[in-house]
Amino acid sequence: MKRFDRPVLGFLPREEMQAILEAPDARTWAGERDRALFSLMYNTGARVSEAIGLRVGEVAVDGSAVAHLHGKGRKDRSVPLWRTTANLIRNWKRRLDYGGEENFLFPNRGGGCMARSNVTQRLELAVSAAAERYPQLARRSISPHTIRHTTAMHLLQSGVDISVIAL
């Protein structure tokens, strides 16, 4: 028996998602990190915990670009990266001062693991900046999980089988 109704999670059109991905200022350390992080999340459909837990050595950007994600319930998956995402991550890896294989790929200022709340806060800043071009974004509630849902919906709209998306 259902105890309560769950609200339907929305998704973003491609142009609004692109505006959010381009919103962080790539001239700053945090802005370049955020662009790479949000692009990886959109490209892979990763959960926040999967993205912030990634280590430098778990993302290959030379040759066949791929991210090795560790998900819920010890489920691991390898997801190919788009050329644009691979380029952003390649540039981001060069900018990391301490790019050892075991260090976090998307660290906080102290070099540790980013908090989920920090990712949400950084996404809110990107959405605010993107709302200058797309004012309707300011009226929407957009969370990191919205990016995951947007990925799934864009794959579905592109004709990818739903069983593949579910995996």
Side-chain angles (χ1 to χ4, degrees), residues 48-69:
V48 178
S49 57
E50 293 172 333
I52 62 177
L54 271 174
R55 306 291 179 150
V56 171
E58 294 173 335
V59 178
V61 290
D62 299 320
S64 296
V66 65
H68 302 286
L69 301 171

Side-chain angles (χ1 to χ4, degrees), residues 135-154:
Q136 64 273 23
L137 285 172
R139 295 185 298 274
R140 297 192 61 185
S141 175
I142 299 170
S143 68
H145 195 73
T146 306
I147 295 175
R148 180 173 163 81
H149 195 76
T150 297
T151 301
M153 292 304 292
H154 289 178

Side-chain angles (χ1 to χ4, degrees), residues 93-141:
K93 279 184 164 185
R94 284 190 203 117
R95 191 160 185 172
L96 286 174
D97 302 337
Y98 47 84
E101 297 291 305
E102 288 302 312
N103 291 327
F104 290 107
L105 181 62
F106 303 112
N108 60 21
R109 277 185 272 160
C113 185
M114 285 180 79
R116 295 169 59 94
S117 59
N118 188 229
V119 175
T120 301
Q121 178 188 37
R122 300 301 302 180
L123 180 60
E124 286 172 1
L125 290 172
V127 169
S128 294
E132 292 177 14
R133 270 184 38 206
Y134 296 96
Q136 64 273 23
L137 285 172
R139 295 185 298 274
R140 297 192 61 185
S141 175

Side-chain angles (χ1 to χ4, degrees), residues 18-32:
Q18 192 61 40
I20 292 170
L21 295 176
E22 294 170 358
D25 184 359
R27 296 172 295 182
T28 67
W29 184 88
E32 188 171 357

Side-chain angles (χ1 to χ4, degrees), residues 40-101:
L40 179 120
M41 289 174 63
Y42 175 55
N43 182 161
T44 63
R47 292 178 176 87
V48 178
S49 57
E50 293 172 333
I52 62 177
L54 271 174
R55 306 291 179 150
V56 171
E58 294 173 335
V59 178
V61 290
D62 299 320
S64 296
V66 65
H68 302 286
L69 301 171
H70 308 288
K72 285 169 49 173
R74 296 186 194 164
K75 290 182 183 172
D76 293 341
R77 65 188 195 279
S78 296
V79 182
L81 298 177
W82 301 322
R83 188 175 293 125
T84 53
T85 304
N87 288 336
L88 285 169
I89 293 174
R90 185 179 299 111
N91 293 338
W92 171 242
K93 279 184 164 185
R94 284 190 203 117
R95 191 160 185 172
L96 286 174
D97 302 337
Y98 47 84
E101 297 291 305

